[in-house]
Every structure is written in structure tokens, then in C-alpha cells.
């Protein structure tokens, strides 16, 4: 029994997907231009497919699971289940108009023509807001549509916004914030689910590690209680006496989001010799 996974055959999602599997300790022998590969040390078979095709392959059961952008999942609207957000491939699906347009709210788009590669998502967004707009589906180079008179606005994926700027556009509405997700087919056997649970266990350990840092510091014993209160840790900080009397070594784990605020407070509380170490895996 093997778990069949579909991932993008080229591009950024391919690189990040393969990196995640490697960080999960899964060794995949992937030859050049191969559309199928097997893991050497985990019951996993990898199919390399077009991103847009992955939800269909998973719905049909050709692949059991897939790594794919949320934007593709919602646009294709197939019978699949989103199991886990993967934390990479982050972008947003946004509406943009010409920079010289005076845009106040979504009603600006009433009666306008919108060019997009995501007609299903855009149509739903407009219907929910009671706005009647003409959705013009095009497959590429969406950002040039207003400049050539094809549309009054566009809806496309945005990362930095530089492409919009270079084409004289401004971002005015965010429809969807997207990232890579793990999807699975609806008809999953218990045996397949056990394999998926093993893979998810590894993925969550890798994700948890990326969001946390291991911190070691020296603390004067008379400030120990105050410093410990600042350190949440997984349960509580580890405290070890140092050779120098009156000092202890404190070990803990900090979340990336709170890291700098807590480090500053630790310094103010008297902590010294603070070391920060990346965590490869984190099992809780």
C-alpha cells in the first residue's frame, strides 16, 4: 500500500513541495522530466502534474492527496478536502484598477468588465456583494487587459505588487489570501488514512519547528523568577546551575512572532549570553 501524492511539476510550488518532503525525511529519486517518482524510505508515490489539474486528479482518486494552492482548489471547485495549510506559496488574489481611477468601494465595478484567470472565485465574490460585472476569462498576461481596452479592471494573483505597478495598476480589493495546502480525496480508506496521518505528523513537526526558535541564556539567580515568567516554553523553561555561583542557564522555546519583544524584555530583566538556535523538527 502506497500513498499517491500529486505536486506541481515545475515552478515555485514544486521546489517548496519537494523541500518539505525532504525536511520530513522522505527521500525521493526524481529524475529529469519524470512525471512519476517513488520515495525510497516511505510508502509514497509522487506524480508531477500541472497545478490546475491536481484537484481533478485527487477528486478522481488517481492521486490520494495533493499539494496545491488554495486559489486553485476554490477555482476548480472539485470534491476534495483541505487537510492542512502548508505555510508556503503565500499570495493573494486581488482586484486591481488603473492608478488614475478613483476607487471607493466594490460598487465601482458595477457594470464594468473584469479580466481574470479565476472566473469562478470572482463571480462568487461579486454575487455575494450584489455587484453585476462582466467577467472576461483570459489565461495569461491579465495585467495588460486595462491598458489595451480589454477590461476596466483585473483580478489576479499578487505577491509584491510590482507587476501591477509596472503596468499602471493599483490593488483595490483582496478577494482571497492563499497558500499551498494539502488536499485529499473524499473516499479515503482506513489504510490510506493511517499513511496520511504519518505524513501529517512529520509535516506538522517541520512547520512547528520553523515557527519557533530554541533560546539559551544565562540568568542571575536573583532575577530567575522574573526571567522564567517571560519565557513560555513548550511546558516550562529548563533551568540548570552554572559553575559560577549565583547564575543559572535557562533553556526555552520562543515563537517567531513574539521573539524580538521577549528578547528585549529578557535583556532588560538581566539575561546575558543569549543564544538563538534554529529548530529542525519539533514534536509536541
Amino acid at each position: 500500500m502506497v500513498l499517491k501524492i500529486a505536486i506541481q511539476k515545475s515552478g515555485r510550488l514544486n521546489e517548496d513541495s519537494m523541500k518539505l518532503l525532504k525536511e520530513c525525511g522522505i527521500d525521493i529519486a526524481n529524475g529529469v522530466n519524470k512525471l512519476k517518482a517513488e520515495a525510497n524510505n516511505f510508502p509514497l508515490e509522487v506524480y508531477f502534474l500541472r497545478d490546475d489539474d491536481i484537484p481533478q486528479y485527487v477528486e478522481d482518486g488517481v492521486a490520494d492527496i495533493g499539494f496545491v494552492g488554495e486559489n486553485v482548489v476554490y477555482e476548480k471547485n472539485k470534491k476534495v478536502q483541505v487537510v492542512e495549510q502548508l505555510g508556503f506559496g503565500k499570495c493573494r488574489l486581488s482586484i486591481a484598477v488603473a492608478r488614475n481611477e478613483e476607487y471607493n468601494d466594490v460598487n465601482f465595478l458595477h457594470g464594468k468588465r473584469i479580466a481574470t484567470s479565476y472566473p469562478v472565485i470572482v463571480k462568487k465574490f461579486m454575487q455575494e456583494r450584489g455587484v453585476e460585472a462582466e467577467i472576461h476569462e483570459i489565461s495569461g498576461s491579465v495585467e495588460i487587459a486595462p491598458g489595451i481596452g480589454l477590461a476596466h479592471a483585473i483580478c489576479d494573483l499578487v505577491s509584491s505588487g510590482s507587476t501591477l505597478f509596472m503596468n499602471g495598476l493599483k490593488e483595490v480589493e483582496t478577494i482571497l489570501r492563499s497558500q499551498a495546502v494539502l488536499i485529499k480525496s473524499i473516499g479515503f480508506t482506513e489504510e490510506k488514512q493511517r499513511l496520511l496521518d504519518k505524513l501529517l505528523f512529520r509535516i506538522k513537526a517541520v512547520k512547528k519547528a520553523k515557527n519557533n526558535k530554541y533560546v539559551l541564556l544565562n540568568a542571575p539567580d536573583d532575577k530567575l523568577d522574573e526571567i522564567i515568567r517571560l519565557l513560555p516554553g513548550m511546558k516550562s523553561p529548563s533551568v540548570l546551575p552554572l559553575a559560577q555561583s549565583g547564575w543559572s542557564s535557562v533553556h526555552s522555546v520562543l515563537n517567531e512572532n513574539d521573539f524580538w519583544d521577549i528578547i528585549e524584555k529578557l535583556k532588560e530583566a538581566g539575561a546575558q549570553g543569549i543564544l538563538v538556535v534554529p529548530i529542525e523538527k519539533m514534536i509536541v
Side-chain angles (χ1 to χ4, degrees), residues 78-92:
K78 301 299 179 183
K79 294 177 182 177
V80 297
Q81 180 183 344
V82 175
V83 178
E84 182 78 13
Q85 292 185 318
L86 300 175
F88 59 81
K90 291 184 178 179
C91 58
R92 56 193 182 274

Side-chain angles (χ1 to χ4, degrees), residues 28-31 34-39 44-48:
I28 298 167
N30 179 25
K34 285 183 65 176
L35 298 180
K36 179 181 172 183
E38 295 180 1
L44 190 72
E45 204 168 70
V46 184
Y47 298 157
F48 299 98

Side-chain angles (χ1 to χ4, degrees), residues 86-132:
L86 300 175
F88 59 81
K90 291 184 178 179
C91 58
R92 56 193 182 274
L93 185 62
S94 295
I95 292 172
V97 300
R99 279 206 301 270
N100 60 0
E101 293 280 12
E102 186 177 337
Y103 184 96
N104 295 314
D105 57 38
V106 73
N107 289 311
F108 169 88
L109 298 167
H110 191 81
K112 301 286 198 306
R113 191 162 57 248
I114 305 170
T116 185
S117 300
Y118 298 91
V120 173
I121 296 175
V122 176
K123 185 177 181 181
K124 182 181 178 185
F125 178 83
M126 294 299 163
Q127 286 177 340
E128 288 173 349
R129 284 151 185 80
V131 174
E132 292 185 13

Side-chain angles (χ1 to χ4, degrees), residues 98-271:
R99 279 206 301 270
N100 60 0
E101 293 280 12
E102 186 177 337
Y103 184 96
N104 295 314
D105 57 38
V106 73
N107 289 311
F108 169 88
L109 298 167
H110 191 81
K112 301 286 198 306
R113 191 162 57 248
I114 305 170
T116 185
S117 300
Y118 298 91
V120 173
I121 296 175
V122 176
K123 185 177 181 181
K124 182 181 178 185
F125 178 83
M126 294 299 163
Q127 286 177 340
E128 288 173 349
R129 284 151 185 80
V131 174
E132 292 185 13
E134 181 185 341
I135 312 300
H136 191 89
E137 183 179 359
I138 55 179
S139 58
S141 302
V142 176
E143 62 277 353
I144 69 169
I148 61 175
L150 182 64
H152 303 96
I154 70 164
C155 185
D156 202 14
L157 291 179
V158 179
S159 293
S160 66
S162 59
T163 303
L164 295 180
F165 182 81
M166 286 188 295
N167 285 277
L169 302 174
K170 62 182 179 181
E171 191 177 354
V172 293
E173 295 280 348
T174 297
I175 290 183
L176 173 71
R177 294 193 180 276
S178 176
Q179 63 177 288
V181 293
L182 188 160
I183 60 173
K184 75 170 188 176
S185 57
I186 302 299
F188 232 57
T189 66
E190 288 185 19
E191 217 170 353
K192 295 274 188 180
Q193 186 62 49
R194 280 195 292 270
L195 289 178
L196 177 56
D197 289 342
K198 287 183 178 182
L199 179 60
L200 278 171
F201 177 78
R202 298 188 187 194
I203 289 173
K204 289 176 180 178
V206 170
K207 283 177 58 185
K208 190 79 173 174
K210 287 181 179 178
N211 293 330
N212 291 276
K213 302 293 183 186
Y214 190 73
V215 178
L216 305 86
L217 59 86
N218 296 330
D221 288 346
D222 60 345
K223 298 284 188 178
L224 203 52
D225 288 343
E226 182 182 352
I227 287 172
I228 287 173
R229 279 196 297 270
L230 293 170
L231 290 167
M234 287 188 286
K235 290 190 180 297
S236 63
S238 300
V239 180
L240 303 169
L242 291 178
Q244 183 179 343
S245 179
W247 285 81
S248 296
S249 175
V250 181
H251 299 212
S252 189
V253 173
L254 290 181
N255 186 278
E256 188 76 53
N257 296 329
D258 307 321
F259 178 77
W260 286 111
D261 286 341
I262 293 178
I263 289 293
E264 289 170 5
K265 291 174 183 176
L266 290 170
K267 285 286 290 179
E268 291 170 4

